[in-house]
Amino acid sequence: MKNINIKFPSGKTTTAPAGITGAELLDNFEQDKESILAVLVNNSLFSLNQPIPYNAEIEPVLDSDKQGAAVYRRSLCFLLAAAAHNIYPKAHLLVGHSLGYGYYYTLDTGRKITKEEISSLEDEMKRLVKEDILIETDAISYKDAKELFAKLELTETSKQLNCICPPYIKVNRLGDFSDMFFGPLVRSTGCLKYFKLMPYDESFLLRFPNTSNPHKLTEFHDIPTLFSIYSRYKKWGKQLGVTSAASLNELIKQRNINEFIYTCETFQTKCIADIADKIHERKKAKVVLIAGPSSSGKTTTSMKLSLQLQALGYRPKLISLDNFYVGRDKNPKDENGNYDYECLEALDIPFLNQLLNDLFNGKEVEIPQYDFAAGQRYFNGTKMVLGPNDILMLEGIHGLNDKLTPLIDPELKFKIYLSALTQLNLDDHNRISTSDNRLIRRIVRDSNFRGKSAQDTISMWDNVQKGEKLHIFPFQGNADAMLNTALDYELAVLKVYAEPLLRAVNPLCKEYSEAERLLRFLNNFSTIPATAVPARSIIREFIGGSAFKY
């Protein structure tokens, strides 16, 4: 048998037979065995059961890091699907969006699910965990996969195989239940001890720990407005019959995608128009504050909302928060000694509030500018005064935080939160992450307009998300309105741009595992050419060719 060389993070090396698994190498790591959920093999994510066929540098993936948390949550979803198959074999389990460190699920039994049925599901999951059953990964033929998913009545999973037709399919298996492989899972069910099924709305949430505290569930914080936005889009998707990547791929295959594109764009425009109507109904609103995480489409949304407000008789005027930085000499630094431009203290809050109040009181003000190269504010004579029909548009990550505008009368403010919350799933049991949607948008935009590689964008994404968790997500409940900026056809467009960028990330880079995962994710979508995207679509902010001037 062929031998391979394996190197560990400590510098230790060993020779082992080809095909050895991560589970057999756990004693070589310094970390506690129970905290290791997977391994990185030459920066490629492997389950602990997966054979290692070649020379490798390996490192552990822990339950307390981002990749480990993703493995845990994906495995927990698989466990729930297996439990539902065991006790409700004729019911249709469908995963939804994330909410408060949990995923919203529906279980179609022909009637509203009861608390007793939810408890039965949780009990079955706990039984499977207690038995510590090995989770196996198999490769089965295309024909066998078609027959398997039809037998299991996994409708969307079966439909996906009509558009993506490889000679074999990888599946995860637990007992007599199997599901499509979308990424490595934990070694066995005994690893999945921390979860809870919580009744919510008309169904339930599968709750899980956060990354920093993997052995404890956090207190649930509800965001009803966000849930209602998602529910509206989900209902809309059902009405159109497009609820999954498989449904979208069928439209592309049948050459019926253009009508769906226009329907998506029209629906989003209507949602923006609805928000403009709410602003108009407020009467006293003088400033619209728009906030959202990276690549949620804030710039295009601001411009599209401005058009809707103009149609109602307003004259929107834009003020950039970037012009209110305190200057490099006063700017706070992060724990690594780098300038922290995302913290609230990086902005001159008193000056901003004085300027806004002067505008609202009818005074003419001089608008500052900011020289990023010099790291200081300056004035170039740009003046502004608000007329009776003028309304300010203020876009920035702190827009929903009242500490940004503490001296402004609340009645004068209208706050909007943006999120790219697609209602599509990959299939019955595998969801599309909002974060993945935004990351792919950003990879494409950074390449097109900022000269950055996919590796560059992936490398800084954790810091971006850290800033979002600190400065944006805690305040989303303060919004007067929320807008979903995701378009359900966009990933099929972005795929054309993102795939070659992701393929250029090589296995010697630590970002390789994320690039590999995103490529595997995008493989679920057929492609749509950019020529099909309307000139004022939010997607143009990322791929270029927009009718708007940024």
Side-chain angles (χ1 to χ4, degrees), residues 274-303:
D274 290 344
I275 292 175
D277 288 339
K278 289 180 180 180
I279 294 170
H280 183 60
E281 290 167 5
R282 181 68 65 86
K283 301 298 184 185
K284 292 185 177 181
K286 287 291 185 181
V287 58
V288 178
L289 298 147
I290 301 175
S294 175
S295 299
S296 57
K298 295 183 289 293
T299 305
T300 303
T301 299
S302 298
M303 293 178 175

Side-chain angles (χ1 to χ4, degrees), residues 410-430:
E411 289 190 349
L412 301 180
K413 298 184 283 189
F414 192 95
K415 293 175 282 188
I416 303 172
Y417 175 71
L418 308 185
S419 180
L421 189 71
T422 180
Q423 60 89 19
L424 292 182
N425 289 337
L426 288 178
D427 62 9
D428 302 80
H429 301 152
N430 293 278

Side-chain angles (χ1 to χ4, degrees), residues 160 181 241 359 388 489 508:
Q160 181 72 319
F181 175 93
L359 282 171
Y489 72 91
L508 300 180

Side-chain angles (χ1 to χ4, degrees), residues 279-516:
I279 294 170
H280 183 60
E281 290 167 5
R282 181 68 65 86
K283 301 298 184 185
K284 292 185 177 181
K286 287 291 185 181
V287 58
V288 178
L289 298 147
I290 301 175
S294 175
S295 299
S296 57
K298 295 183 289 293
T299 305
T300 303
T301 299
S302 298
M303 293 178 175
K304 296 183 88 165
L305 180 60
S306 293
L307 290 176
Q308 295 294 335
L309 289 170
Q310 287 178 50
L312 295 174
Y314 292 93
R315 293 195 308 170
K317 291 186 175 181
L318 178 67
I319 290 183
S320 174
L321 281 177
D322 288 353
N323 294 334
F324 290 87
Y325 281 123
V326 293
R328 199 172 295 156
D329 56 331
K330 299 178 182 178
N331 204 101
K333 294 183 179 181
D334 62 21
E335 64 273 15
N336 299 316
N338 300 316
Y339 289 109
D340 186 356
Y341 291 106
E342 294 193 342
C343 67
L344 188 65
E345 293 73 21
L347 298 171
D348 191 338
I349 303 300
F351 177 54
L352 170 66
N353 281 257
Q354 181 63 52
L355 183 143
L356 291 176
N357 272 322
D358 285 345
L359 282 171
F360 299 150
N361 290 324
K363 297 180 182 178
E364 183 180 67
V365 301
E366 186 172 7
I367 302 298
Q369 310 297 315
Y370 192 80
D371 185 335
F372 281 90
Q376 61 185 17
R377 184 193 308 153
Y378 68 96
F379 294 88
N380 64 359
T382 301
K383 302 289 182 69
M384 181 181 290
V385 64
L386 293 184
N389 296 323
D390 292 345
I391 188 167
L392 291 177
M393 307 287 287
L394 205 60
E395 171 212 318
I397 65 171
H398 299 289
L400 304 183
N401 185 349
D402 284 326
K403 290 183 178 179
L404 176 72
T405 52
L407 302 182
I408 307 303
D409 184 343
E411 289 190 349
L412 301 180
K413 298 184 283 189
F414 192 95
K415 293 175 282 188
I416 303 172
Y417 175 71
L418 308 185
S419 180
L421 189 71
T422 180
Q423 60 89 19
L424 292 182
N425 289 337
L426 288 178
D427 62 9
D428 302 80
H429 301 152
N430 293 278
R431 57 186 291 275
I432 294 176
S433 162
T434 298
S435 176
D436 283 351
N437 202 142
R438 293 189 292 109
L439 175 54
I440 291 169
R441 280 180 170 185
R442 178 137 183 181
I443 286 170
V444 173
R445 185 188 68 186
D446 283 358
S447 173
N448 284 335
F449 304 112
R450 300 179 182 180
K452 292 182 180 290
S453 67
Q455 181 186 342
D456 293 333
T457 302
I458 292 170
S459 70
M460 45 76 74
W461 189 243
D462 283 351
N463 283 334
V464 170
Q465 290 190 297
K466 180 182 176 182
E468 293 167 353
K469 289 176 182 177
L470 286 173
H471 306 305
I472 300 175
F473 296 149
F475 305 103
Q476 56 189 328
N478 296 343
D480 297 298
M482 292 187 177
L483 177 70
N484 182 8
T485 67
L487 292 160
D488 287 338
Y489 72 91
E490 69 175 89
L491 286 166
V493 177
L494 294 171
K495 173 179 179 174
V496 178
Y497 296 83
E499 279 191 335
L501 300 173
L502 291 166
R503 287 197 187 101
V505 181
N506 74 64
L508 300 180
C509 308
K510 65 179 182 178
E511 293 80 16
Y512 179 76
S513 62
E514 184 72 345
E516 184 182 42

Side-chain angles (χ1 to χ4, degrees), residues 86-257:
N86 290 348
I87 62 175
Y88 301 115
K90 296 299 181 182
H92 184 208
L93 181 74
L94 186 66
V95 66
H97 77 304
S98 61
L99 186 70
Y101 291 106
Y103 299 142
Y104 182 72
Y105 274 86
T106 56
L107 183 69
D108 183 9
T109 59
R111 52 183 166 72
K112 183 177 179 180
I113 189 170
T114 65
K115 290 183 179 179
E116 291 73 22
E117 288 170 325
I118 295 171
S119 293
S120 296
L121 266 178
E122 183 174 272
D123 289 343
E124 176 64 7
M125 291 175 73
K126 289 178 178 178
R127 182 189 71 80
L128 294 172
V129 170
K130 186 176 181 180
E131 292 189 8
D132 195 20
I133 306 167
L134 193 70
I135 298 174
E136 299 180 85
T137 301
D138 297 326
I140 61 177
S141 72
Y142 179 85
K143 179 182 178 182
D144 289 345
K146 290 279 288 184
E147 293 174 354
L148 172 65
F149 296 137
K151 180 181 177 182
L152 294 172
E153 297 185 12
L154 297 178
T155 310
E156 297 302 318
T157 308
S158 297
K159 193 189 298 182
Q160 181 72 319
L161 295 184
N162 295 330
C163 298
I164 297 175
C165 310
Y168 66 90
I169 308 293
K170 288 179 74 174
V171 297
N172 292 313
R173 183 160 56 84
L174 183 63
D176 66 348
F177 176 74
S178 297
D179 209 350
M180 191 92 84
F181 175 93
F182 284 99
L185 304 183
V186 297
R187 182 171 183 264
S188 64
T189 57
C191 302
L192 303 171
K193 299 174 184 176
Y194 308 102
F195 68 90
K196 183 175 180 58
L197 298 189
M198 186 186 94
Y200 184 85
D201 194 59
E202 296 184 352
S203 199
F204 65 93
L205 292 172
L206 169 61
R207 301 211 62 230
F208 43 75
N210 65 26
T211 306
S212 59
N213 193 352
H215 299 155
K216 183 179 179 181
L217 298 181
T218 60
E219 181 182 351
F220 176 67
H221 295 288
D222 196 8
I223 308 174
T225 308
L226 188 63
F227 181 79
S228 68
I229 293 293
Y230 169 77
S231 298
R232 179 184 184 187
Y233 269 80
K234 199 70 178 176
K235 181 179 179 181
W236 174 78
K238 285 183 179 178
Q239 289 173 338
L240 294 180
V242 183
T243 60
S244 68
S247 306
L248 180 66
N249 290 339
E250 279 196 340
L251 283 182
I252 297 170
K253 178 182 174 183
Q254 295 165 4
R255 299 180 181 273
N256 293 327
I257 194 63

